[in-house]
Amino acid sequence: MGFFSTILGFFGFGVGISIGLVAGYFLFIYFQPTNVEDPEIKPLVEHDQETLQQMFPEIPLWIKNPDFDRLDWLNRFLEYMWPYLDKAICKTARNIAKPIIAEQIPKYKIDSVEFETLTLGSLPPTFQGMKVYVTDEKELIMEPSVKWAGNPNVTISVKAFGLKATVQVVDLQVFLLPRITLKPLVPSFPCFANIYVSLMEKPHVDFGLKLIGADLMSIPGIYRIVQELIKDQVANMYLWPKTLEVPILDMSKALKRPVGILHVKVLHAMKLKKKDLLGASDPYVKLKLSEDKLPSKKTTVKHKNLNPEWNEEFNMVVKDPESQVLEINVYDWEQVGKHDKMGMNVIPLKEVSPEEPKRFTLDLLKNMDPNDVQNEKSRGQIVVELTYKPFKEEDLGKGFEETQTVPKAPEGTPAGGGLLVVIVHEAQDVEGKYHTNPHVRLIFRGEEKKTKRIKKNRDPRWEDEFHFTVEEPPTNDRLHVEVVSTSSRNLLHQKESLGYIDINLGDVVANKRINEKYHLIDSKNGRLQIELQWRTSEA
């Protein structure tokens, strides 16, 4: 009886299931509900508070935070370029990892570690938005929001003790909010010397890890332990204010900082040519280093002398001894009119050995064109002695933070005084009534200096540096700064003031360095950024 009951029950169960599936299929096909409506799509402003809170984590940052900018163009660029970037990044990663692995594996008695497969997959990272900070310093600060839900395939094989194990990383998810700082900004490509990277919050990292085909992340407890371990380790190294510094350019060359002093001694000249009507000349010498914005050094004038002797000494700041040259020009002084050029020559600084005085006897030329036949004409000779004194190694190669401190004043600065350095950076929203060709005038204790003139620009950038040597600290002095526009086409209004400021130098002496934007007096919206430094020999 029990056997027959079992057989009948089995057939009854099978027949019942079959009939139920067929009946369900026909009911689903022929009796669809008629009250189904299309989903209603509403703008964000029309959603209630509860719905918005549920949606808020998925809303892009450029919508939630107005100070974040959209980066759709960058995401499209990455999408198109990702197949090529994938190969380039993986190739670079292999080249970087190979020597590091070769150096480390002997310590752990491992035979070999190799990449069997290395690809970042077909899905590029996306930028949800980016915030950019503007400061008065020479730096650019960016905070991009990066999300990468990729499908990479990284397979590493490890051989040790005759055994082989394969580790595979798949299904990687990384959410980051880094702060990327490019500083200092310099006039040499790629226009910044260092990259500083910090994380503004702990990163989210999720991935699959397979060992010999088994997913280790599926083991209870392992997933959370590994995820928290990665977050903590990355945060300990790079969570703000800790940074990762990536040097791009040599600081001394990028910033064109002084690397030494060139001591020039102008001795004498011989057999100069007559320039005056009475059969004589009044020669003097001008010295200038290439790539230097400072005024030329000048000797005294030797009146009515074709074989003058000066024996005068000058110190000049060297920024790049491999590329700079000393330009020597001899002029005939005239009481009225333009001074006549008697000849010139140059000396590459790389021909001068450090700490070794070297004397040069130079033929005076019309110009430095080797194909100019007029250079074959005799114009006399000049004799100079050069000594290059490089700075000590400990004074060079400093990081950006150290460059923000004020350096010492050069040799020869008065003991009780110092060097006032004025760096005119830029102006904004300066506009004249008749023309806008701005330059900046600096007046300190009756001495006037000017920046270069920039034509038709309401937001000019100069980056010009000026030095004033003073016998005592200018505690009670003021620096007069005026933005002036000039035009030779407007005969009635050739010169026009665009605004001015008077800066109390007592604050500069007390603080050693000030870098501020000043609102210009007699200007509607004009602002001028100036950096002031007070350098002493005890700094």
Side-chain angles (χ1 to χ4, degrees):
M1 195 65 183
F3 175 75
F4 289 105
S5 299
T6 302
I7 294 297
L8 293 173
F10 176 77
F11 280 102
F13 176 78
V15 172
I17 287 293
S18 300
I19 294 174
L21 289 175
V22 172
Y25 174 76
F26 278 96
L27 288 173
F28 179 77
I29 294 298
Y30 294 103
F31 295 95
Q32 292 185 0
T34 58
N35 59 347
V36 176
E37 298 179 358
D38 292 332
E40 184 180 0
I41 300 177
K42 297 181 180 180
L44 289 177
V45 293
E46 296 182 7
H47 284 279
D48 56 38
Q49 184 175 359
E50 183 178 353
T51 306
L52 282 175
Q53 288 178 349
Q54 294 176 356
M55 297 172 58
F56 201 72
E58 303 302 324
I59 298 176
L61 281 175
W62 56 267
I63 295 178
K64 294 187 289 186
N65 301 316
D67 51 350
F68 273 81
D69 297 323
R70 297 181 65 172
L71 292 175
D72 294 343
W73 66 270
L74 182 56
N75 292 327
R76 287 195 295 270
F77 173 80
L78 285 175
E79 182 181 356
Y80 293 137
M81 293 296 296
W82 187 244
Y84 308 98
L85 291 172
D86 176 22
K87 294 178 181 179
I89 293 171
C90 291
K91 182 178 179 180
T92 304
R94 286 179 185 269
N95 295 336
I96 294 175
K98 190 173 182 179
I100 297 175
I101 293 173
E103 181 182 354
Q104 296 296 326
I105 57 176
K107 301 178 182 179
Y108 304 98
K109 298 181 179 180
I110 297 175
D111 296 334
S112 67
V113 177
E114 297 179 352
F115 287 100
E116 288 191 355
T117 58
L118 177 57
T119 175
L120 301 180
S122 59
L123 302 176
T126 59
F127 289 82
Q128 304 296 304
M130 183 164 66
K131 184 190 299 183
V132 179
Y133 294 91
V134 178
T135 69
D136 291 339
E137 302 297 337
K138 296 180 180 180
E139 61 183 5
L140 176 63
I141 302 176
M142 301 173 289
E143 287 185 6
S145 174
V146 184
K147 289 188 177 183
W148 184 29
N151 54 347
N153 185 8
V154 182
T155 306
I156 302 174
S157 63
V158 182
K159 295 180 181 179
F161 306 107
L163 301 175
K164 178 181 178 180
T166 302
V167 180
Q168 185 180 18
V169 178
V170 295
D171 299 332
L172 178 65
Q173 290 187 359
V174 180
F175 301 160
L176 297 174
L177 184 61
R179 170 175 290 181
I180 303 172
T181 305
L182 311 178
K183 68 178 182 181
L185 302 180
V186 296
S188 303
F189 190 80
C191 302
F192 52 88
N194 294 304
I195 302 176
Y196 297 84
V197 182
S198 299
L199 296 177
M200 303 311 295
E201 58 186 33
K202 286 187 176 182
H204 168 78
V205 181
D206 188 9
F207 60 91
L209 185 63
K210 294 183 178 181
L211 178 62
I212 320 179
D215 191 355
L216 296 181
M217 295 295 104
S218 62
I219 300 176
I222 294 293
Y223 172 78
R224 185 171 295 276
I225 293 173
V226 172
Q227 195 177 47
E228 291 300 324
L229 180 63
I230 293 174
K231 285 184 179 180
D232 292 339
Q233 290 297 321
V234 174
N236 289 337
M237 292 188 292
Y238 304 123
L239 191 64
W240 191 85
K242 297 179 180 179
T243 60
L244 169 65
E245 179 180 353
V246 181
I248 303 298
L249 297 175
D250 181 77
M251 290 293 293
S252 60
K253 293 183 179 180
L255 291 174
K256 295 294 183 182
R257 294 187 306 181
V259 296
I261 296 293
L262 180 66
H263 180 76
V264 184
K265 186 174 184 179
V266 182
L267 298 174
H268 59 274
M270 303 169 291
K271 301 178 181 179
L272 298 180
K273 295 304 175 183
K274 300 176 183 179
K275 289 289 184 179
D276 295 341
L277 296 176
L278 300 179
S281 294
D282 305 315
Y284 69 94
V285 181
K286 293 178 69 174
L287 305 171
K288 185 176 179 61
L289 282 175
S290 61
E291 304 175 18
D292 194 350
K293 298 180 180 179
L294 297 178
S296 302
K297 306 285 186 180
K298 296 181 182 180
T299 66
T300 56
V301 178
K302 299 299 181 180
H303 294 283
K304 299 180 180 180
N305 197 333
L306 300 179
N307 297 283
E309 291 197 14
W310 287 283
N311 292 314
E312 297 180 17
E313 300 181 9
F314 305 90
N315 288 327
M316 309 182 78
V317 178
V318 178
K319 296 181 179 180
D320 187 358
E322 292 299 318
S323 64
Q324 285 185 290
V325 298
L326 175 66
E327 300 173 2
I328 304 173
N329 290 275
V330 182
Y331 287 89
D332 175 38
W333 178 84
E334 297 290 347
Q335 188 170 4
V336 180
K338 185 179 180 181
H339 298 186
D340 295 327
K341 188 174 181 179
M342 304 181 70
M344 68 167 298
N345 213 318
V346 299
I347 302 175
L349 298 194
K350 60 184 179 182
E351 296 182 5
V352 183
S353 301
E355 305 292 350
E356 296 181 8
K358 186 174 182 180
R359 182 171 293 192
F360 294 86
T361 301
L362 306 172
D363 293 325
L364 294 177
L365 309 173
K366 181 181 180 181
N367 53 54
M368 297 310 299
D369 184 359
N371 299 320
D372 193 337
V373 294
Q374 295 193 36
N375 285 330
E376 299 177 2
K377 182 180 178 181
S378 176
R379 289 178 169 77
Q381 294 179 317
I382 186 169
V383 181
V384 296
E385 184 179 279
L386 306 184
T387 306
Y388 173 55
K389 297 182 179 180
F391 294 147
K392 297 179 180 179
E393 286 294 329
E394 54 265 26
D395 297 330
L396 301 175
K398 297 180 180 179
F400 176 72
E401 299 302 329
E402 290 177 288
T403 65
Q404 296 297 82
T405 60
V406 177
K408 291 183 180 180
E411 294 182 6
T413 303
L419 186 69
L420 176 65
V421 180
V422 182
I423 305 174
V424 182
H425 289 297
E426 62 179 349
Q428 294 177 344
D429 295 328
V430 291
E431 187 172 6
K433 185 176 180 181
Y434 303 101
H435 42 76
T436 304
N437 307 312
H439 72 270
V440 177
R441 294 173 61 235
L442 306 174
I443 302 177
F444 173 69
R445 292 184 176 179
E447 184 178 358
E448 180 177 337
K449 296 187 178 183
K450 299 178 181 180
T451 67
K452 57 181 176 288
R453 175 171 167 261
I454 300 179
K455 294 182 179 181
K456 298 180 181 180
N457 198 324
R458 297 178 65 250
D459 302 302
R461 177 181 289 270
W462 293 281
E463 300 297 343
D464 285 350
E465 180 175 324
F466 304 94
H467 295 178
F468 297 91
T469 302
V470 292
E471 300 290 336
E472 57 185 16
T475 308
N476 300 318
D477 289 277
R478 288 177 175 269
L479 174 68
H480 180 76
V481 184
E482 184 179 10
V483 182
V484 180
S485 174
T486 57
S487 175
S488 58
R489 296 181 178 182
N490 193 324
L491 299 179
L492 296 178
H493 304 90
Q494 291 187 348
K495 183 178 179 180
E496 181 180 359
S497 176
L498 307 183
Y500 72 94
I501 49 173
D502 289 311
I503 303 175
N504 188 347
L505 298 180
D507 295 337
V508 183
V509 175
N511 298 313
K512 300 296 184 183
R513 177 179 180 269
I514 291 178
N515 185 13
E516 293 185 4
K517 283 186 178 179
Y518 298 89
H519 288 274
L520 294 171
I521 301 173
D522 291 344
S523 174
K524 185 177 180 180
N525 298 309
R527 291 174 295 167
L528 180 66
Q529 182 181 352
I530 289 187
E531 181 179 346
L532 301 171
Q533 298 178 10
W534 172 244
R535 302 179 185 177
T536 61
S537 57
E538 294 83 15

